[in-house]
Amino acid sequence: MIVLSHFRHRAAPSLANHRHYARVRGYRHEIIDASEMPQALPLRALYRYETLLNTLRRADRNELILLLSEDAAIIEPIALEQFMADRDVLLVRASTHALPQIDVQIWRNTNAVRETVLQIVKRCRIDFTDRLPSEAAVFAGFESEHYMTLFNGMCPVMPTGYNYDPLWSRVPTFAISIDDAPHSPERKGTTPRFRDALIAHINHTRAAGLPMFSFPHYAADSSNETADRSAYNPGKALAVVTLYTPNIESYARIAEGNFRRYCETQGYTFYVHRDIPREIGLNASGNWFKPWLLHGYLQHHEWVIWLDADVLIADQQQKLEPLLEGRDYLLAHDVGQWPFNSGVMGFRRTARNDAMLQELMASISALPDKSRVYASDGDQLQFINAMRESGALQDEAISDMVCFNTPWLFRRPDSFIVHYYGMWQSMRTLMMAHDNALLA
């Protein structure tokens, strides 16, 4: 048996994962570093399948080759024969109608299989009259199995991404294919930081015998605050406020500690609400309470900065004051079509901001549905409408997302405030724990 790790990009956690599997099973491990090869189609696919063909031609008769990319990880290190008793090729698709994923493939060395791979190679050869739309497209018309198909009680390959339920952590699974859009293999693409953090976590939990997505360092203990709210470093001109509810505690605890450390370093007041403030009398999920808390704390501070609980201060030494100079509000672009994102906002104590927040509270109170974060199009739309109606929403006054409120996908070493939105909760906890550990 041969484990063939064909990497287009260097990925140390993935390599360690593949190497461990080969060692556990006693399989030969071959590593192909294709990071210096052309990355454009069809050449990148051509090199992968020429490499596979070369490996098959060197293999023993009927020997199995497990072809893995850097976006693949082994979850349960079982023998390949468990999936290949009556077949020569195993390809797995992530949805009913999609092409198969390309990160985990199993091939048996037979004459027919080598001929099949040779035909794939021919599809990948440069032809300017028939461009290859994606690597997955080379498998159009091939037989493949749905990812929920069980082989002796085991799924061979499960898809996963940063905004997808990690079913593979609960269902017996051999391997995972990591893709930002796993159900659209023709759009294959992975965020390297997420992939590396996820596979490093898989490697660590397996080695330590821990449950997947457990983060003991952030578990509640006697030293954690347990009150429904706390105030730290009171009486400062600038205050930071956040709110979270028990259902998102797994990652909100990480944010709380991060915010508190930052405010202590910079000399800001910090308010944290660990549940909704019942005295407001609003029947709503936690995100809808933002204008009430902003308005209330602005009575005691010159500036109040709101931070969602899926945010981290990545640069603990950078101060907020330079961003606030000459402004009455602090907003940054959203990754979507909205003018700004309401996860990180700041407001100066002014008559116009006071009136805007009061109007916003009245508008939200009148909404028929506030039961969920995105009910009635979410608090973000309400903030946008309120700012627009107050005459304060000017494009040139809204900061770019590189400056602050940077989506985690675009995080750089010099990023200031990073927002981990658009993620499945366990994946968000994973990335926030990983990135917060970098600040220690």
Side-chain angles (χ1 to χ4, degrees):
M1 309 299 171
I2 301 173
V3 176
L4 179 60
S5 296
H6 186 284
F7 284 18
R8 296 193 185 114
H9 304 282
R10 294 186 176 97
S14 303
L15 185 57
N17 179 277
H18 301 179
R19 182 180 288 126
H20 175 75
Y21 171 67
R23 185 169 58 247
V24 166
R25 300 308 319 181
Y27 297 161
R28 185 161 82 252
H29 188 201
E30 298 186 6
I31 303 163
I32 304 298
D33 181 357
S35 60
E36 301 299 324
M37 300 295 176
Q39 296 300 310
L41 285 169
L43 289 176
R44 72 185 192 204
L46 175 63
Y47 186 64
R48 182 192 294 273
Y49 295 104
E50 286 278 21
T51 301
L52 174 60
L53 182 60
N54 174 269
T55 306
L56 286 164
R57 286 172 170 172
R58 291 185 289 106
D60 294 336
R61 183 182 178 186
N62 291 319
E63 189 170 15
L64 294 174
I65 290 87
L66 173 63
L67 177 60
L68 299 173
S69 81
E70 67 272 23
D71 296 332
I74 305 301
I75 304 301
E76 297 290 346
I78 64 171
L80 294 178
E81 293 93 330
Q82 177 159 331
F83 306 112
M84 304 298 288
D86 57 353
R87 64 177 62 234
D88 292 337
V89 180
L90 179 58
L91 302 171
V92 177
R93 63 187 185 278
S95 64
T96 303
H97 302 293
L99 296 166
Q101 53 74 40
I102 61 172
D103 300 313
V104 183
Q105 307 170 26
I106 308 178
W107 302 83
R108 186 185 300 280
N109 181 29
T110 67
N111 292 336
V113 165
R114 289 196 303 275
E115 178 59 29
T116 296
V117 176
L118 179 59
Q119 294 307 311
I120 292 173
V121 165
K122 291 179 179 179
R123 292 189 190 185
C124 297
R125 287 175 181 165
I126 297 174
D127 182 349
F128 293 102
T129 63
D130 185 18
R131 293 185 179 275
L132 188 69
S134 67
E135 181 175 336
V138 304
F139 297 113
F142 276 60
E143 181 181 347
S144 60
E145 300 288 346
H146 188 267
Y147 71 93
M148 288 300 294
T149 303
L150 296 178
F151 291 72
N152 298 319
M154 177 79 62
C155 291
V157 186
M158 277 272 199
T160 196
Y162 61 76
N163 196 26
Y164 291 84
D165 179 7
L167 187 61
W168 49 270
S169 65
R170 306 187 300 276
V171 174
T173 300
F174 169 58
I176 56 172
S177 163
I178 304 172
D179 192 343
D180 289 351
H183 298 304
S184 301
E186 66 278 2
R187 296 169 51 207
K188 167 70 177 172
T190 303
T191 304
R193 242 170 32 84
F194 169 74
R195 176 199 62 219
D196 291 350
L198 176 60
I199 297 182
H201 177 73
I202 291 168
N203 294 346
H204 170 72
T205 54
R206 289 303 190 214
L210 295 171
M212 202 68 67
F213 300 109
S214 58
F215 303 93
H217 180 70
Y218 296 106
D221 57 38
S222 59
S223 66
N224 286 37
E225 295 285 353
T226 56
D228 66 352
R229 68 193 70 182
S230 299
Y232 303 99
N233 205 18
K236 305 301 180 181
L238 191 154
V240 171
V241 59
T242 193
L243 178 151
Y244 63 88
T245 46
N247 60 303
I248 61 169
E249 193 177 35
S250 63
Y251 62 84
R253 285 196 305 268
I254 303 171
E256 177 183 346
N258 176 275
F259 300 163
R260 182 178 177 183
R261 184 166 68 252
Y262 176 69
C263 290
E264 288 172 347
T265 298
Q266 300 298 342
Y268 305 144
T269 297
F270 176 46
Y271 298 104
V272 55
H273 290 256
R274 302 183 185 90
D275 209 338
I276 60 173
R278 305 290 177 182
E279 69 275 11
I280 290 175
L282 191 69
N283 183 19
S285 59
N287 61 299
W288 295 102
F289 289 83
K290 294 179 187 181
W292 278 266
L293 296 179
L294 284 163
H295 183 266
Y297 289 125
L298 271 171
Q299 311 312 307
H300 308 285
H301 302 275
E302 291 299 316
W303 272 92
V304 175
I305 309 297
W306 175 272
L307 299 177
D308 275 0
D310 57 351
V311 167
L312 289 178
I313 309 294
D315 186 348
Q316 296 269 315
Q317 303 309 311
Q318 185 170 337
K319 300 184 74 68
L320 285 163
E321 283 84 353
L323 292 178
L324 307 179
E325 188 174 349
R327 298 176 181 270
D328 287 339
Y329 57 87
L330 184 68
L331 303 168
H333 292 155
D334 185 67
V335 73
Q337 297 300 311
W338 306 102
F340 65 85
N341 179 273
S342 65
V344 179
M345 301 181 291
F347 295 93
R348 187 191 297 273
R349 188 172 64 199
T350 67
R352 184 159 75 167
N353 283 340
D354 185 276
M356 182 275 295
L357 289 168
Q358 292 201 55
E359 288 292 330
L360 180 54
M361 287 186 281
S363 297
I364 289 175
S365 295
L367 290 173
D369 186 5
K370 303 176 285 292
S371 61
R372 297 169 289 107
V373 171
Y374 297 111
S376 303
D377 291 319
D379 66 273
Q380 185 159 290
L381 177 61
Q382 307 308 317
F383 267 97
I384 290 168
N385 290 340
M387 292 290 289
R388 184 174 285 125
E389 290 169 9
S390 73
L393 191 60
Q394 306 296 327
D395 284 346
E396 65 273 13
I398 301 175
S399 297
D400 56 80
M401 64 174 64
V402 176
C403 185
F404 73 96
N405 201 4
T406 303
W408 71 274
L409 294 158
F410 303 141
R411 184 185 185 274
R412 306 186 315 205
D414 62 345
S415 294
F416 180 23
I417 302 174
V418 179
H419 198 167
Y420 295 79
Y421 53 80
M423 305 185 77
W424 196 267
Q425 180 163 326
S426 53
M427 301 303 193
R428 178 182 289 123
T429 305
L430 166 75
M431 279 312 303
M432 290 180 67
H434 174 272
D435 287 355
N436 195 54
L438 300 176
L439 308 178

